[in-house]
Amino acid sequence: MTAPQARRAARVLLLDGRDRVLLFQGRDPVHADRGQWWFTPGGGLDPEETPAQAAARELREETGLEVEPGALGSPVHQRVTTFPWGDVVYEQSEDYFVLRVDSHEVDTSGFNEVETAAVLGHRWWHRAELASTGETFYPRELLELLP
């Protein structure tokens, strides 16, 4: 068995004026049998990119929302997670940022080819909905991170 591939990522807890958090529903397009899950906007860091720069870039690409990296402040959470994606196992170090907006109409036209194949949809979730859902979402500690 090969060792997991190291990867750094930045993710955003995007909250609207109704205290809902935006999550995307996705799957592994190579191994659809692994199921579906909900996850926050974000993704891997490009070379020479800081976590805040990556988080701002990913927000723009995945939601159409443009923010300066400095508007994200400092990470509110960090974790390391190991997961399979395609035929590779990753050990991903993640920084989570919080951003509040009054409202935002999500625009996914900036998705790349992988995101287009992997993302099935999106929705804004209230805390109570997350607490009572039987669906899988990541990070599992999401409820603890929401204000």
Side-chain angles (χ1 to χ4, degrees), residues 24 40 145:
F24 288 105
T40 60
L145 301 177

Side-chain angles (χ1 to χ4, degrees), residues 23-26 36-40 121-123 125 135-139:
L23 297 179
F24 288 105
Q25 184 181 37
Q36 299 174 5
W37 55 89
W38 294 88
F39 59 96
T40 60
H122 66 273
R123 70 173 271 206
W125 291 76
E135 298 194 51
T136 302
F137 58 86
Y138 296 108

